[in-house]
Each structure stands twice: as C-alpha cells, then as structure tokens.
Amino acid sequence: MSLKKFSELFLDLDSSNSTNNKIEILKRYFLSNEPIDNSWAIYLLTGKNNKRFVNGRYLRSLFSQIYGYPQWLIDQCYLKVGDSAELITLLLKNINTSKNKKISNINLDEILSKIVPELSELNEYEKNLEIKRIWETLPEDNHLIFNKILTGTFRVGVSIGLITKSIAQLINIDEEIISHRLMGNFEPSIDSYTFLINKNINLEELNSKPFPFLLANSFEDKIFKHPINDFQFEWKYDGIRIQLIKRSGNISLWTRGQELVNETYPELVEKMSCIKDDFVLDGELLVWNYKQQIPFDFSFLQKRINRKSPTRSIQIKYPIIFIVYDLLEINGKDIREIKLENRRIELEKYFSKWQNKSEHNSFDIFKICDLIYPKDWSEALTYKEKSRENNTEGLIIKNKKSQYTSGRKKGIWWKYKVDPMQLDAVLIYAKGGSGRRAGLYTDYSFALWKDQELVKFASAYSGLTNIEIKELDKWIRKNTIQKFGPVRSLKPEMVFEISFEKIQISKRHKSGIAVRFPRITKWRKDKKIKDADTIENAYEMMQKIS
C-alpha cells in the first residue's frame, strides 16, 4: 500500500464531522490494506507514543535554508497556518521538483520503520540533505503525511473510541474487548493487528493490561430530582487516576493516559506485592500529608511525576498514597458488571482482610476512599462547599446501581465541583493561536495590580466564544504597543474575569503566586482597569482557604 492511501484517509477523516461517517471510512480503510499498514495507521491516528523526529521550528528553518525563502516570511505564514507540517506542505507546492524521479511505491511501514529512524542516525548536514531529497522525490500528495510524521503532529478528529468502534463493527465483537486490547503500549506490527482483530478472546493475552477507565460527567441539575439514597458520595481528589493491577503475582500501575509507572512509584509496588490475592483496583494516587490526613497540592505530586527511580529521600519528602475507589477484578474474576454498591461491599471485605494480615503500618500507603452520607441535597451542597478545607475539589456522585463501563457514560458518575476562585485581571499580552485558531490572537496573559504596576499572574486561552475571539483579535491589532516575535504587548485597557481551581505561593513567578487551570469566564467590559484585582487580593484569597 502506498503512502498516498493513508494520505487520502487522513484528509477524509479531517474533512468529516460525522462520527458514523468516520467509522465507515476507517472500516473501508482497514478492509483494503495490509495488517502492518493498518497497525501503523492505528499507531499514528491514536497518537500512541508518536515520536517527534524534528520540531516545527527546525522544519521551517530548513525550508528557508534550502529554498532561499526569508525566515521572517515563513514565520509570518506560520502565524496564519498554525501548523508547521501543513505550512511546509503548502510551500512545497511552489517548488519545481519535476526533474526528480518520484517514489511511487513507498508505504507506511517503510517510512516509519526504516526511512525516518535512519534520519535520526545522521548528522545535521546529512539529515538536511536527506529530508530535501525525500521532499523532492515524494509525490506532492504525500508531503503532508511525511511532514506530520517528522513533527509528530497527527491531530485529527479520531479518538481511540472511534478506532475501537470501527474494529469492533468490522469483526463483530464487543467494543469492551477491543478497547481493552488497545490499552497500554501499542507496538505497530502484524502480530499487534492480528491480536487486535482476533475474534477469540484469550484473557491471558490481556493479563498485564488495565481495563478502560470509567469517567465522570459534569454535574447536571436533574440529579436533584432523584432520591439522594440512590447515590454514593466520595471526595473528588486532584491526583493521578491509576489502575493498580496484580495478576499472576505481577504488579502494574497504569495511568488514565495509558502509561505504565511502576518505576515512578516503587514503594507502592513493593507494598502491594505483599498481598496474596490478585486484583484490579481503580483509584487515585496523591502526595499525602500524613499528619493532617489530607492531600498536598498537585504541585507536590508534580515533583514525582515522570521521575524514574526516585531516591529514598524523594520518597520521604513527597510521600504518596493510593486511595481506592473501586474493585474491578478479584482473583481472576471480572466483577465490573456487578452493581457499584455490591462492589463496594467486596472492596471493604478484601481491604479488611489485607489490613489484618499485613505488618504494622505497612498499609499507610494504601486506603479505600471514605464515603460521605449527606441526608439531603442541601447537605450535599454544604459538603461540596467545604471541600477545600480538606484540599479536595468537591464531590464525586455515583449511581449505586451502576456497572463499571468504559468512557464518559451518562447517568453513572458526576463531578460536583466546588465553584472556581476568580480574580478580575488586565489583559497585557497576546500571542497567535495554532491549528484551527491560526491567524487569530487567542493566547492571552493577564496581570494584577501591585502598588501602581501591573504584574503578570496567569495565562489563559479558553473561555471566549468565537465571536468574542474575533472581536478581541481586531482590538489587539489596533492596540499593540510592542512586538516580541509572535507576542504582542498591549495597551492595558481590557479587564477579564479569570477563574481557576487553586492558588498558591510560587517563587518561580514574578507575581509570587501560581494558579491551576486558569481560564476566562467573563469579558468585563463594564470595568475599568483600576477596578481590577490586586496581588494583595490574591494573597487574601489564599489565606481564606488555607
């Protein structure tokens, strides 16, 4: 199969907004191609560990050097297009390469397992010559895919869920099985694809893989119409969602992002290895304040994330805990189809057994989540509003009769989050967007008052409507004071309400504070910049929640 066929698939998927249409496009593609190319297609489209061989800036600079285009012109074009791979593809259309013999039979496997990896072995001069050669010998309609492979930017409207549905329909097998097979690392190969489409279910082959995670939906007021006793209430923690698996004596820690993190949290692996039963547990990993029995802020957990083989001193300085929400499998028996209230009974029974048989204090690192028992919805609201007192984000509400399915299913779990904190801030910088937002200023920086000076405290790019973005873009272009590359310094006139989940002291920021998940919630056209909040207001906010 030529690279052209995958290029056509990519464009067909990118131009379709219909889920059902995308599934049909994928099914036709899988039916018409070899297993190895189907395997690579899944690897690329789902973004599973896609490697970036060169970055976009490198690619733009290389094109400028080879073909004599001014760098400033290419950079200006990039601000309009927003994607380096797409920009270079468009510019290559103006390059006369007709004198070069075209490669017509190149396929995905050849380019991904041979040509591109070999580029990494070359020095910079040789690499530049080889990329130029490939540009000038690949057919024009293959340039986009080649450039995207180089930069690792396969952002197209295809999720693992769509791949799952298309394969499941193709071979007439339950989606849960395909979803489970796709969990974890997917190594592109004939064997990987053959295993994926195998109608025979062999549980041994799935031994080290997690189940697809069940996710919570945003809160809906219609829940208030149901009796409160229909639901189970838990604290919503701000940590890393983990499935802790012990099968055939082997421990695996899988994140929701399908990363195996045993090396990052070796103390948890060690403690859980002492349990004789096999199991699959769903829960949250946190850095824990054992003295106050509450979690530390997420910033403490960031000190452990992606740290391979943490030293003993790091483990002591940032002690972790695994809080279990659910029991999904016990001693080889999948119990996800059992009602939540019954799974909870099983979880408590086994936890008690494990605790009683463990050595003193060996289970500090592991606990099951506390349940909350509000007597009515008014009291549930009170619990939610007080959640910051124990450093949580609100409540998780779960239907007691629910099974553990995959994805964000309606009517099962809800996030009942505490209202965000808010400060009114002044817009001081803007930067051009990328992708679909290319050509517009959509990334913004905001400041608070400190004495008589505006000091940057947060950046945000979400929250405005498309109409507001276009209106603000026009204002930005008319009110620019200075340009620093792609960034514009702006006349301080516009005030915006900025919402965020957490606020804390930070020595890394000029303002002395850092916020988590900042986003724009209102364009305060009714306010002058003198009405914006101060750094002192931010510190007062921290004191109230501490």
Side-chain angles (χ1 to χ4, degrees):
M1 183 206 76
S2 69
L3 192 59
K4 179 181 179 181
K5 214 165 183 185
F6 182 74
S7 300
E8 292 171 350
L9 170 70
F10 183 84
L11 293 175
D12 286 345
L13 291 170
D14 198 36
S15 61
S16 176
N17 293 321
S18 166
T19 296
N20 289 334
N21 189 38
K22 287 181 178 180
I23 290 171
E24 290 303 315
I25 290 170
L26 285 166
K27 284 163 62 177
R28 289 197 298 270
Y29 179 85
F30 292 139
L31 281 171
S32 62
N33 295 304
E34 296 298 318
I36 185 60
D37 290 307
N38 287 341
S39 187
W40 278 114
I42 291 168
Y43 176 85
L44 292 173
L45 293 175
T46 57
K48 281 183 171 286
N49 302 316
N50 284 357
K51 183 178 179 181
R52 172 181 286 182
F53 293 92
V54 299
N55 61 37
R57 184 181 295 276
Y58 178 97
L59 211 63
R60 300 196 302 272
S61 176
L62 175 60
F63 185 90
S64 172
Q65 293 173 34
I66 293 173
Y67 299 113
Y69 278 54
Q71 189 67 53
W72 67 265
L73 179 60
I74 293 176
D75 289 342
Q76 284 298 309
C77 292
Y78 172 71
L79 291 177
K80 293 293 183 183
V81 176
D83 182 281
S84 295
E86 293 180 19
L87 170 63
I88 300 305
T89 300
L90 292 171
L91 293 174
L92 282 168
K93 293 180 184 293
N94 299 316
I95 304 300
N96 181 13
T97 62
S98 58
K99 63 181 181 295
N100 295 301
K101 184 180 179 182
K102 300 298 179 184
I103 306 171
S104 59
N105 60 348
I106 191 170
N107 60 32
L108 272 183
D109 184 44
E110 185 178 356
I111 199 167
L112 282 157
S113 63
K114 184 176 184 295
I115 294 175
V116 176
E118 286 178 355
L119 282 175
S120 303
E121 303 298 320
L122 303 177
N123 62 43
E124 187 169 333
Y125 176 75
E126 293 170 332
K127 183 193 297 183
N128 292 349
L129 286 180
E130 184 62 11
I131 292 175
K132 177 180 184 292
R133 186 193 68 78
I134 295 172
W135 276 342
E136 295 182 354
T137 53
L138 272 182
E140 187 178 284
D141 51 12
N142 290 345
H143 282 150
L144 179 60
I145 295 303
F146 174 68
N147 291 335
K148 283 189 170 290
I149 288 171
L150 285 179
T151 55
T153 54
F154 273 89
R155 292 187 296 269
V156 66
V158 176
S159 63
I160 289 180
L162 282 179
I163 298 289
T164 299
K165 287 179 183 295
S166 62
I167 297 290
Q169 289 183 20
L170 196 65
I171 64 174
N172 193 26
I173 197 172
D174 190 82
E175 284 182 32
E176 291 283 336
I177 298 298
I178 302 301
S179 183
H180 197 182
R181 289 174 178 175
L182 279 170
M183 292 296 286
N185 297 326
F186 181 84
E187 296 296 334
S189 67
I190 294 174
D191 289 343
S192 293
Y193 186 72
T194 302
F195 165 64
L196 186 63
I197 63 171
N198 187 356
K199 291 187 178 183
N200 297 318
I201 303 168
N202 184 348
L203 294 179
E204 288 297 318
E205 294 173 323
L206 305 175
N207 211 23
S208 65
K209 294 194 174 188
F211 291 115
F213 283 77
L214 174 57
L215 307 177
N217 284 285
S218 297
F219 187 77
E220 301 169 297
D221 288 341
K222 66 182 181 181
I223 299 175
F224 291 140
K225 297 178 182 178
H226 295 270
I228 199 161
N229 289 332
D230 287 355
F231 303 100
Q232 176 174 299
F233 293 81
E234 306 165 5
W235 294 116
K236 185 186 184 306
Y237 291 102
D238 183 20
I240 301 175
R241 187 84 175 278
I242 293 278
Q243 276 185 35
L244 197 162
I245 300 171
K246 182 171 180 283
R247 294 187 179 120
S248 302
N250 297 314
I251 298 288
S252 302
L253 306 179
W254 287 96
T255 70
R256 204 182 107 193
Q258 300 183 32
E259 292 180 275
L260 186 63
V261 291
N262 288 35
E263 293 182 3
T264 306
Y265 310 105
E267 63 268 53
L268 181 58
V269 174
E270 179 187 351
K271 291 290 178 69
M272 301 309 291
S273 298
C274 299
I275 300 175
K276 291 185 177 180
D277 294 296
D278 280 358
F279 48 77
V280 178
L281 302 170
D282 179 23
E284 197 96 0
L285 192 139
L286 304 149
V287 169
W288 194 250
N289 185 332
Y290 282 88
K291 185 176 181 180
Q292 297 184 32
Q293 288 298 303
I294 60 173
F296 280 113
D297 288 335
F298 188 81
S299 60
F300 285 77
L301 184 55
Q302 286 178 313
K303 306 293 186 182
R304 294 290 305 263
I305 294 172
N306 296 328
R307 187 188 288 269
K308 303 297 183 184
S309 303
T311 62
R312 182 62 182 156
S313 62
I314 289 293
Q315 294 178 37
I316 292 171
K317 189 175 182 180
Y318 304 106
I320 61 168
I321 196 169
F322 181 65
I323 297 183
V324 185
Y325 299 142
D326 215 332
L327 178 64
L328 311 183
E329 180 182 295
I330 186 69
N331 293 324
K333 183 181 179 183
D334 182 349
I335 62 171
R336 290 176 298 157
E337 293 186 357
I338 295 175
K339 295 175 183 177
L340 171 64
E341 57 187 350
N342 293 330
R343 296 200 306 274
R344 176 73 189 196
I345 292 171
E346 289 296 296
L347 174 60
E348 291 177 354
K349 180 182 76 175
Y350 277 97
F351 183 78
S352 178
K353 169 190 168 184
W354 298 333
Q355 249 190 337
N356 291 336
K357 292 188 176 182
S358 71
E359 296 178 5
H360 182 63
N361 288 336
S362 66
F363 258 53
D364 286 352
I365 201 171
F366 168 56
K367 63 175 284 191
I368 57 176
C369 67
D370 296 324
L371 297 186
I372 304 160
Y373 299 96
K375 63 179 183 294
D376 53 33
W377 286 110
S378 176
E379 191 171 50
L381 174 62
T382 302
Y383 275 111
K384 182 197 78 168
E385 294 302 325
K386 290 183 176 180
S387 62
R388 284 201 178 100
E389 294 177 8
N390 58 5
N391 218 5
T392 56
E393 298 183 314
L395 305 177
I396 293 290
I397 303 174
K398 299 178 178 179
N399 188 323
K400 289 181 179 179
K401 307 296 182 186
S402 63
Q403 299 176 345
Y404 192 101
T405 58
S406 63
R408 211 177 295 277
K409 296 291 192 296
K410 288 191 174 294
I412 297 182
W413 291 4
W414 296 267
K415 296 176 287 189
Y416 194 30
K417 296 180 69 173
V418 68
D419 293 334
M421 292 174 274
Q422 296 170 336
L423 290 168
D424 289 332
V426 180
L427 176 65
I428 57 171
Y429 297 115
K431 182 180 177 183
S434 59
R436 297 184 187 278
R437 288 183 161 194
L440 295 170
Y441 285 92
T442 61
D443 294 9
Y444 316 110
S445 294
F446 301 91
L448 301 175
W449 288 108
K450 185 176 183 180
D451 299 324
Q452 301 300 312
E453 181 187 4
L454 283 169
V455 179
K456 179 186 170 183
F457 95 104
S459 295
Y461 57 87
S462 64
L464 295 179
T465 66
N466 289 334
I467 293 174
E468 287 175 324
I469 288 173
K470 290 177 181 177
E471 180 185 348
L472 185 56
D473 180 79
K474 290 180 181 178
W475 181 89
I476 288 168
R477 295 174 190 277
K478 292 178 182 178
N479 291 275
T480 296
I481 299 173
Q482 281 183 288
K483 294 181 181 179
F484 307 96
V487 178
R488 293 192 177 206
S489 172
L490 306 174
K491 185 178 179 182
E493 277 190 4
M494 294 295 178
V495 179
F496 292 82
E497 178 184 272
I498 307 300
S499 294
F500 44 91
E501 301 305 320
K502 291 187 178 180
I503 183 169
Q504 63 190 57
I505 293 173
S506 171
K507 295 179 180 179
R508 294 189 300 109
H509 296 81
K510 184 179 178 182
S511 63
I513 57 176
V515 295
R516 184 155 160 78
F517 296 142
R519 68 267 190 199
I520 303 165
T521 43
K522 192 178 294 183
W523 188 346
R524 298 304 305 260
K525 295 182 180 179
D526 57 318
K527 290 196 172 187
K528 304 294 184 183
I529 62 170
K530 64 181 177 64
D531 301 320
D533 281 300
T534 65
I535 295 292
E536 287 74 17
N537 295 147
Y539 275 96
E540 288 173 9
M541 182 178 287
M542 278 189 282
Q543 290 173 356
K544 287 179 182 178
I545 62 174
S546 61

